[in-house]
Amino acid sequence: MVVTSEDGRYFRHVHPLRTAPGRLEVRMRADRSGRYLAYAELEREDSGGQLVSSSFQVGKGSADDSEEERPETGDAAPVLRPAVPVAGRPVTIELAAPAGVRPWLGMTGHLLVRNEDGSFLGHVHEMGTPGSRLRFTFSFPEPGRYLAWAQYATRDRIVTAPFTVNVTGDAPGTAAEPTGEATGQDTGESAAGAEAGDTARNEAGTAAWTAAREAARGETGEAMGDMTGSGR
């Protein structure tokens, strides 16, 4: 299950608990009021994967009710090849990772992608061996602005790096730009294959990304918090 606020600043990716035949549950806490989007990835026996989605509204609560533990943060500048993604064509997204990245839920890394209005959710895996860089391949279905979260695990935490991608139809656009600080999270699996299935960085680029990241911090406020629970 994936839950995000409409603006993408809140992000949760969890595996629900099975509480009864045909019934899955997960508990989480929203850190702000507003509209939220929820996506559930299912794998049905003998009938393949299914993605269902909905939305819900969260009302205002007290500060104590909405406060969550602040997670550890990390820095990672995504690199896109080609730097200007074109709808319908594969793009490679690379992310620098610290030493000690370990396989997590059977995969080295996870990439979740949502379009701006929330009508599309994509989910793919890093299939390589744990190392200093994670590599994902993804095809954005249509031109537009997409919110993305790359996830990986170290020895003692789950890290999620949020960023945005502007996708063009047939002309150059804008490469990835950060939306906030990376955060600790839990995870899931592929939207195209569902739970059981699968579906720039030189010195100048790093300096530009760092400047953009600092600006984004001032504009968007706190980055997304860590997961409140997992079924695995």
Side-chain angles (χ1 to χ4, degrees), residues 89-160:
R89 300 181 186 177
V91 58
T92 298
I93 299 173
E94 289 191 356
L95 190 73
V101 171
R102 60 179 173 83
W104 179 41
L105 294 177
M107 300 294 170
T108 307
H110 304 257
L111 175 69
L112 291 109
V113 177
R114 196 202 89 186
N115 63 354
E116 198 160 24
D117 68 9
S119 61
F120 169 83
L121 180 77
H123 186 177
V124 295
H125 296 140
E126 213 282 353
M127 299 298 293
T129 302
S132 61
R133 300 193 73 80
L134 303 179
R135 182 178 292 107
F136 304 92
T137 300
F138 189 78
S139 295
F140 295 90
E142 297 179 346
R145 181 174 180 267
Y146 290 80
L147 312 181
W149 299 266
Q151 300 183 301
Y152 60 89
T154 63
R155 182 179 60 83
D156 58 352
R157 64 177 179 145
I158 307 302
V159 175
T160 299

Side-chain angles (χ1 to χ4, degrees), residues 80 82-87 91 116 140 142-147 163-169 171-177:
L80 275 62
V84 181
V86 176
V91 58
E116 198 160 24
F140 295 90
E142 297 179 346
R145 181 174 180 267
Y146 290 80
L147 312 181
F163 58 99
T164 64
V165 180
N166 291 324
V167 177
T168 185
T174 304
E177 60 186 57

Side-chain angles (χ1 to χ4, degrees), residues 61-80:
S62 68
D64 290 340
D65 289 340
S66 62
E67 184 177 355
E68 288 191 278
E69 181 181 352
R70 186 181 299 274
E72 295 183 50
T73 62
D75 295 296
V79 178
L80 275 62

Side-chain angles (χ1 to χ4, degrees), residues 37-62:
L37 307 173
Y39 308 87
E41 300 172 324
L42 310 171
E43 181 76 11
R44 298 184 181 275
E45 292 184 358
D46 303 321
S47 60
Q50 180 181 11
L51 175 67
V52 295
S53 62
S54 186
S55 64
F56 59 92
Q57 197 77 20
V58 173
K60 292 185 178 180
S62 68

